[in-house]
Amino acid sequence: MRFLIVNVSDILQEAGSVLSIQNSLNLGNITWQGEPLRFKEPLSITGTLTNSGGALILNADIRGKIILQCGSCLESFEKNLDFTVKARLVGPSNNTEPDDFVFEGVEVDISDMVWEFLLLEIPIRRRCKDPCKGLCPECGVNLNRETCQCAGSEESDQSLALDQRLQVLKDYFSAESKEV
Ligand SMILES: [Zn+2]
Ligand SMILES: [Zn+2]
C-alpha cells in the first residue's frame, strides 16, 4: 500500500487555519480478505485539513474506480467510488476518541483514513449485475453469457411439450379444413 503524505507544518500553529488537499493516491493491486481489489487509476482526493485547535480535521472527497470480483460468476466488474472521508487527527497525547487517528511531527499520512473509509464502500455481496445468473453448478459455464444443456433441460422439456400440443391442434385444424 502506498502512502499519501501531507505536510501540515503551515497549519499546526494556528487554530482555524486550513490546508487544501488536491492529490491522488495510487493503491495499485491489493489482496483483501483473500480477494483481489484492483484500481484502474489512482484515486482522486480533494478536500481540506483544518486545525480545529487540538486536532486536525480531515474532510475529503474521494473519487475513482475499483475493480471487484463477482461472488456469483467470478467475473471482474467495475464499481465507481465517490465517498467522503471525515476524520480527526490528533497528536499522541490528545488521543482520546476511539476513532481518532494519531500523527506525530509535521507529516500526516492520510492513506490509512482513505483506506478505512474505502473498505466501507465495498459491498459484502459483490455482484457484477443484479441479478447475476452465476455459473452452472453442473458444467460451470457463465450463465450470463451462455446457456448450457444442464441448465436449460427443464425449460426445453416444457417448450417441447408445448410444441407437441400445438402440433396436435395444427393437425386437428388441418384435418377439419380438409373435411370442409
Ligand atoms: Zn456475476
Ligand atoms: Zn451447465
Side-chain angles (χ1 to χ4, degrees), residues 32 37 39 66 68 79 81 115 117-126:
W32 179 67
L37 301 181
F39 299 86
I66 188 170
L68 299 169
K79 177 181 157 56
L81 293 172
W115 176 242
F117 280 75
L118 170 67
L119 289 181
L120 302 175
E121 296 295 309
I122 299 174
I124 292 166
R125 188 176 175 274
R126 297 184 273 283

Side-chain angles (χ1 to χ4, degrees), residues 136 138-141 148-151:
C136 169
E138 301 288 323
C139 69
V141 304
C148 60
Q149 293 310 311
C150 15

Side-chain angles (χ1 to χ4, degrees), residues 8 10-11 42 55 64-65 78 86 100 117 119 123-124 128 130 153 155 159 164 167 178:
V8 295
D10 286 351
I11 59 165
K65 285 190 172 93
E78 216 171 84
K86 285 190 164 76
D100 283 349
F117 280 75
L119 289 181
I124 292 166
C128 60
D130 202 17
S153 60
E155 198 178 290
S159 54
Q164 281 165 350
Q167 193 57 49
K178 265 177 213 156

Side-chain angles (χ1 to χ4, degrees), residues 69-77 126-135 142 144:
Q69 192 180 43
C70 174
S72 179
C73 71
L74 308 180
E75 293 280 313
S76 296
F77 68 100
R126 297 184 273 283
R127 291 291 179 268
C128 60
K129 59 180 169 187
D130 202 17
C132 167
K133 292 177 183 168
L135 302 175
N142 185 337
N144 296 313

Side-chain angles (χ1 to χ4, degrees), residues 2 8 12 19-20 29 37 39-40 43 50 63 71-72 80 94 130 149 168 176-177 179:
R2 313 280 174 87
V8 295
L12 271 185
L19 179 71
S20 335
N29 297 333
L37 301 181
F39 299 86
K40 245 177 152 173
L43 298 175
T50 306
R63 292 213 171 80
S72 179
N80 284 325
N94 289 339
D130 202 17
Q149 293 310 311
V168 172
E176 215 176 34
S177 61
E179 276 174 24

